[in-house]
Amino acid sequence: MSTTTPDASAPAAYSSPSVDTAFAQSELGFKLRAVLAEGKGTNVAIADFLLRNPVRATAWGIEELAANAQTSTATLSRFARALGFSGFGALRSGMADALQTALQPVFQPVDKLRNVLQRKDEDGSSGKPIIAESLDASVSNFQAAAAGLNPAMLIATAHKILAAETVYTLGFGISAHLSAMLALDLQPFCRQAINVVEFGGTEVAAGRLMNIGPKDLLISISFPRYASDAVMLTRYARDRCAHVIALTDSMASPLANWSHDVLVAPATHPVLSSSYTAALLVIEALVTSLMVSGDNQVAQAEKLTDAISAYLYTDKPGNDSGVDRPAKRIVRKG
């Protein structure tokens, strides 16, 4: 896998909160955070600026960084030595190394795409082998997920969902759509189902989740590239003693550390950041288990059918009831 060296030519790509968060979790990031927590005066201001602008700090020279951080070059040099570096140049190299490590997971799909396009050019092919690899990967993920599902574990998980006062589903990005599908399927059979991420971003999602407690359950969904907000809110639910179920690609996922149960849906793909075919399989298996596990599921299914029957299309080809229906006209205003 090739690596990407940060530069100042693409500030938007390197200024995302997830990158800044990943940098803050590095060894150097922890040192800067310690200065932020315990330092005094200008050192605090410099540490805060570097944590908020790690990419720009690796692109700027000492004079430019001093001007933007509103300090002097001599103060920056002293700050670097206080962190254990020989000088500002060594500090900037250390930040670049830490940042590159942080960026690797974020830019992995870009590297994958670059590599497969390079292979296509070298082979002189039309891209068909790559598309075939994509299909094979999706099928393999699908089969691996099916083989790893334990029916007894699914039934046990279904009972936990049915026993919860409120079931929350959570996902950001494409996982938000998986979360919405799961919430829609759970809604008729649970006491209350809430899709946490619908609109409004993280602040609104956190507001929906703020009352979660020991009698509730959260199903958190995230795949590479993992959303830092999904991890943060999952940890919040776990700290509030709710039962947490993760739907993710691996036990190495950051969600696994904060979950009581993990449903694994392999997501490897030669081009995409993640494949979601296996996730859909796991969702359908979980909902199926829930629908055959409760005591009142048939009655709930009947109530759902009654509620939506008026909105379903029922006419069949060749079915002439003898009733003349007025033609509908589409009126364009304008």
Side-chain angles (χ1 to χ4, degrees):
M1 181 183 70
S2 62
T3 56
T4 305
T5 302
D7 59 68
S9 62
Y14 291 94
S15 60
S16 68
S18 61
V19 174
D20 295 350
T21 300
F23 172 75
Q25 296 298 323
S26 67
E27 182 178 354
L28 179 53
F30 276 111
K31 288 184 179 180
L32 293 172
R33 288 160 61 188
V35 173
L36 200 62
E38 302 171 7
K40 297 179 181 178
T42 16
N43 282 356
V44 173
I46 294 172
D48 180 75
F49 186 86
L50 293 179
L51 283 167
R52 293 178 185 275
N53 303 277
V55 178
R56 293 180 176 86
T58 63
W60 289 337
I62 188 169
E63 293 83 3
E64 192 173 8
L65 179 60
N68 282 277
Q70 298 182 342
T71 186
S72 66
T73 57
T75 302
L76 281 177
S77 296
R78 286 194 298 271
F79 179 83
R81 289 193 293 271
L83 286 181
F85 294 95
S86 59
F88 171 76
L91 170 60
R92 186 172 64 176
S93 296
M95 289 192 65
D97 290 342
L99 188 61
Q100 183 164 296
T101 301
L103 287 173
Q104 282 179 356
V106 177
F107 281 89
Q108 190 177 19
V110 180
D111 292 332
K112 288 195 292 185
L113 179 59
R114 183 182 295 113
N115 289 339
V116 296
L117 291 177
Q118 183 178 356
R119 279 171 42 205
K120 188 182 80 167
D121 293 338
E122 291 172 351
D123 297 341
S125 63
S126 62
K128 291 180 181 178
I130 297 168
I131 295 172
E133 287 180 25
S134 166
L135 295 173
D136 289 342
S138 296
V139 171
S140 296
N141 291 332
F142 198 84
Q143 293 172 335
L149 288 175
N150 182 330
M153 183 272 291
L154 285 173
I155 294 294
T157 302
H159 282 296
K160 293 173 185 176
I161 293 172
L162 291 171
E165 284 194 356
T166 302
V167 177
Y168 297 85
T169 64
L170 181 150
F172 288 89
I174 294 180
S175 294
H177 301 285
L178 296 172
S179 172
M181 291 171 60
L182 179 57
L184 188 64
D185 285 336
L186 293 178
Q187 188 173 351
F189 306 103
C190 298
R191 300 179 190 179
Q192 181 174 223
I194 296 177
N195 181 20
V196 175
V197 184
E198 286 186 328
F199 55 85
T202 306
E203 292 182 8
V204 175
R208 288 198 186 95
L209 202 61
M210 69 179 185
N211 291 322
I212 195 170
K215 296 181 180 180
D216 303 320
L217 183 145
L218 170 68
I219 303 175
S220 185
I221 306 172
S222 191
F223 292 87
R225 298 170 277 192
Y226 306 106
S228 58
D229 289 338
V231 180
M232 176 191 69
L233 291 176
T234 300
R235 180 176 180 177
Y236 172 81
R238 180 67 184 258
D239 290 344
R240 295 290 300 270
C241 299
H243 190 86
V244 178
I245 299 170
L247 172 55
T248 189
D249 66 308
S250 165
M251 292 303 296
S253 164
L255 290 186
N257 293 332
W258 307 106
S259 304
H260 297 92
D261 303 305
V262 180
L263 299 173
V264 175
T268 55
H269 195 276
V271 179
L272 301 176
S273 59
S274 289
S275 168
Y276 293 92
T277 53
L280 290 172
L281 179 145
V282 174
I283 286 174
E284 289 189 1
L286 180 60
V287 172
T288 300
S289 301
L290 182 142
M291 292 177 69
V292 300
S293 297
D295 298 327
N296 198 33
Q297 308 301 63
V298 173
Q300 290 299 103
E302 289 176 344
K303 286 172 64 178
L304 175 63
T305 300
D306 289 341
I308 67 174
S309 59
Y311 306 97
L312 301 179
Y313 185 79
T314 56
D315 284 353
K316 297 180 181 179
N319 180 21
D320 186 3
S321 63
V323 178
D324 291 331
R325 296 185 177 89
K328 294 183 179 179
R329 292 194 307 143
I330 298 176
V331 180
R332 292 181 175 86
K333 297 181 179 180

